[in-house]
Amino acid sequence: MSARRTPLALATGLGALALIASDGPTGRLRVLAQIKPGEWELQEQGSQAAPKRLCMTDADILVQYQHNEMRCTRFVVEDQPMSATVTYDCRSSGRGRTAIRASTSRAIHVETQGIAFGAPFETSFNARRIGACRVGLR
């Protein structure tokens, strides 16, 4: 017996995936709404370098960490209260895939990989909120 798919069955199956395409941040990912603004410390996994500190007023910057401040087309693969996965395409500047998991509103893990300006990248880091933003920290 062979399985036959009808257009309605395909549409229902695709709808269940809850995939969203957008040009820029039109909707807020649920996990990002959980993340508190403030000064964050980012520690790249496997690196002996000192953690990077940044004042994060909008957690959306984590989605396109290697393509920050670029207008890219996004495709939301997963949008859960404590995790999200997004792929994005920045045309000639590259593309990427980012997965964000929140342990709490003050502790997250980010994995991102892709191509930025013709070169591959793969970064995984833990981030934790350490307080309010200090003057001069960006």
Side-chain angles (χ1 to χ4, degrees), residues 48-66:
Q48 298 300 318
K52 179 180 177 179
R53 289 189 173 190
L54 69 97
C55 178
M56 188 163 48
T57 57
D58 185 357
D60 192 65
I61 65 168
L62 298 172
V63 175
Q64 294 173 205
Y65 190 72
Q66 293 292 331

Side-chain angles (χ1 to χ4, degrees), residues 13-128:
L14 292 174
L17 291 175
L19 301 176
I20 304 164
S22 68
D23 189 19
T26 55
R28 183 90 167 150
L29 294 170
R30 290 189 285 170
V31 68
L32 298 183
Q34 307 289 334
I35 298 172
K36 294 198 178 295
E39 184 176 345
W40 283 74
E41 186 175 81
L42 284 61
Q43 179 65 55
E44 188 172 344
Q45 287 190 311
S47 173
Q48 298 300 318
K52 179 180 177 179
R53 289 189 173 190
L54 69 97
C55 178
M56 188 163 48
T57 57
D58 185 357
D60 192 65
I61 65 168
L62 298 172
V63 175
Q64 294 173 205
Y65 190 72
Q66 293 292 331
H67 295 92
N68 201 3
E69 300 183 20
M70 294 186 149
R71 187 167 172 87
C72 306
T73 302
R74 293 182 180 179
F75 188 72
V76 177
V77 178
E78 175 192 27
D79 184 14
Q80 299 295 319
M82 299 302 280
S83 65
T85 302
V86 177
T87 61
Y88 61 91
D89 186 351
C90 303
R91 296 190 178 122
S92 62
S93 299
R95 62 184 44 98
R97 178 184 187 279
T98 301
I100 301 170
R101 285 189 328 265
S103 302
T104 69
S105 62
R106 298 170 180 262
I108 58 174
H109 179 77
V110 178
E111 294 177 4
T112 185
Q113 63 182 349
I115 305 290
F117 307 102
F121 68 86
E122 183 173 7
T123 305
S124 179
F125 59 88
N126 292 313
R128 64 186 183 98

